[in-house]
Amino acid sequence: MVRELSLAEIFQLGYYWETKILLTAVKLDIFSALRDQPRTALELAESLQLDDSALRLLLHALVAMRVLRKEGDRFSNTSVGQQYLVRTSPDYVGHLLILHDAEWANWGRLEDAIRTGKSPATQHVFATNPELGAQVLAVLDRIGQASGPHLAKRLKLSGITRMLDVGGGAATNAIAFCREYPELEVTVLDLPATLGLAKEAVRRAGLTERIHLLPGDFLTDSFQGRYEMIFMSDILHYQAPPTNAWLVRKAYDHLESGGRLVVKDRFLDPSRTSPAWTTAFAVHILVNTEHGQCVTSEEVQEWMRQAGFTAVEELEPCAVVQGLKPSKPEGQDHG
Ligand SMILES: C[S@@+](CC[C@H](N)C(=O)[O-])C[C@H]1O[C@@H](n2cnc3c(N)ncnc32)[C@H](O)[C@@H]1O
């Protein structure tokens, strides 16, 4: 039985002040300015060109939120602020929060979007601000490095030598898969601005011989060649369902007979009321992309069946689906 919310929890859900305080502090880069030594509000205001009285209010709230500390009239980072919110830290996650801050205006137009069905966004962040998109991917890449090896094992890719990763981002999955399967080579197709990040990651991983970068737009450019596996991870929610059905068919055409398409995304369950995070993500996608949508895994499986895939199945609930391109019957030469 699902527990009913208390009134206090309803108020908590409607209370976003602390969210915006944190996002603004990251945007103003206050934590980086406190990296080396404690400083007063006036010193910080002067170095960051801010109003010291207004800044002091923000700093006090950040102390109450436990990302800053105050001793006397000097402010310093707590250890969590120092580790994750200082720009030069190897664990910096601020780019993701800066993206959330950049999307604030679109969220402010949620009511309009619900009234009209029209998104305030005309393009997603990777198109409007490729630099921020790449920085966000760098954060997601660090977080994703923990799950990539597990996914590599789950997919059982032994014997596959040629894979295409459509919208492969920072090559997080390509690197994890190549580390697990020594015979695998992966082509990572992504927008040119994103591939700069992938190039650096592939070089650091020592995999330049096995991971090939293909700059392009997966909607308008060719997938170039035939593959034994095509992978699409977290890209379908940016497009409308008919475009995605078409992308699935495009993948079918670029697979060898017997090859497979694996799609990983944030799928809703058939009731569309779960997983909870994905139900909110679906609203995020509504206001921050022009045509994007979260779909159920059953919808993706249906696009696969319509394209001709067989043995279509959900490998991980609400997360991974796979379909096989049938092997050629003896003597037939098309695929
Ligand atoms: C959320 S990221 C996912 C990255 C990667 N697949 C992963 O799972 O870590 C979405 C990726 O799709 C890429 N992308 C979005 N639209 C694209 C398009 N039309 N053509 C090529 N890449 C695109 C973005 O640049 C970004 O790298």
Side-chain angles (χ1 to χ4, degrees):
M1 257 276 275
V2 180
R3 185 179 65 78
E4 293 254 330
L5 282 189
S6 66
L7 178 59
E9 285 168 319
I10 289 178
F11 280 134
Q12 190 63 35
L13 282 175
Y15 168 74
Y16 52 79
W17 304 340
E18 289 181 342
T19 303
K20 187 59 173 160
I21 289 168
L22 177 67
L23 297 183
T24 302
V26 172
K27 181 84 193 295
L28 294 173
D29 213 10
I30 287 171
F31 302 95
S32 301
L34 291 171
R35 183 187 71 173
D36 297 326
Q37 80 256 8
R39 301 170 84 180
T40 65
L42 190 59
E43 287 165 352
L44 270 178
E46 276 169 4
S47 73
L48 297 173
Q49 298 186 323
L50 305 170
D51 177 87
D52 67 297
S53 305
L55 175 63
R56 197 168 287 108
L57 298 178
L58 195 84
L59 296 174
H60 287 153
L62 292 164
V63 172
M65 289 160 57
R66 293 172 293 157
V67 282
L68 291 186
R69 211 178 282 117
K70 185 181 184 191
E71 279 166 67
D73 61 353
R74 293 186 174 273
F75 296 87
S76 60
N77 291 325
T78 56
S79 55
V80 84
Q82 186 81 1
Q83 182 176 357
Y84 296 113
L85 302 176
V86 170
R87 219 168 245 275
T88 49
S89 163
D91 294 327
Y92 181 66
V93 297
H95 295 308
L96 194 54
L97 302 177
I98 289 171
L99 172 66
H100 293 174
D101 194 59
E103 292 164 341
W104 186 262
N106 287 342
W107 274 102
R109 295 177 62 192
L110 176 60
E111 181 188 334
D112 280 350
I114 303 294
R115 286 186 188 283
T116 64
K118 287 203 175 63
S119 174
T122 49
Q123 283 178 309
H124 55 65
V125 64
F126 296 104
T128 54
N129 189 344
E131 196 188 329
L132 178 58
Q135 288 166 336
V136 169
L137 271 180
V139 175
L140 296 178
D141 177 47
R142 280 205 307 275
I143 299 168
Q145 278 171 16
S147 62
H150 167 74
L151 180 65
K153 286 194 181 70
R154 288 268 296 117
L155 291 178
K156 300 194 177 66
L157 307 180
S158 299
I160 293 181
T161 56
R162 264 171 303 120
M163 174 182 139
L164 172 69
D165 189 353
V166 182
T172 315
N173 292 305
I175 290 170
F177 293 0
C178 281
R179 284 189 173 139
E180 187 66 26
Y181 299 99
E183 71 279 25
L184 182 66
E185 292 198 16
V186 182
T187 299
V188 175
L189 165 63
D190 209 299
L191 301 169
T194 313
L195 281 186
L197 190 70
K199 187 174 180 188
E200 184 49 28
V202 169
R203 189 194 60 74
R204 274 199 315 271
L207 286 166
T208 46
E209 302 286 302
R210 293 170 52 207
I211 298 182
H212 317 289
L213 305 181
L214 178 59
D217 182 325
F218 57 59
L219 296 175
T220 51
D221 295 325
S222 165
F223 285 176
Q224 307 241 338
R226 294 274 175 132
Y227 306 88
E228 294 160 278
M229 171 170 161
I230 295 183
F231 187 52
M232 298 179 176
S233 168
D234 280 333
I235 61 158
L236 290 192
H237 54 251
Y238 294 110
Q239 290 79 222
T243 307
N244 287 329
W246 171 82
L247 267 174
V248 166
R249 287 199 300 277
K250 183 168 173 176
Y252 186 92
D253 292 342
H254 285 267
L255 277 169
E256 301 282 8
S257 298
R260 59 170 129 163
L261 169 65
V262 176
V263 178
K264 176 175 167 292
D265 217 292
R266 325 301 171 115
F267 302 124
L268 292 160
D269 81 353
S271 77
R272 296 177 190 266
T273 60
S274 165
W277 186 89
T278 310
T279 63
F281 183 65
V283 181
H284 158 78
I285 287 297
L286 168 75
V287 287
N288 287 298
T289 67
E290 189 174 14
H291 300 297
Q293 267 185 42
C294 286
V295 296
T296 64
S297 94
E298 185 44 52
E299 285 171 274
V300 181
Q301 292 177 64
E302 193 47 37
W303 299 334
M304 285 187 176
R305 286 186 207 103
Q306 284 168 2
F309 287 98
T310 55
V312 175
E313 60 178 328
E314 186 177 58
L315 295 183
E316 283 187 24
C318 293
V320 183
V321 298
Q322 171 178 282
L324 301 185
K325 179 166 178 171
S327 298
K328 270 186 291 195
E330 288 290 310
Q332 237 175 295
D333 201 28
H334 60 78

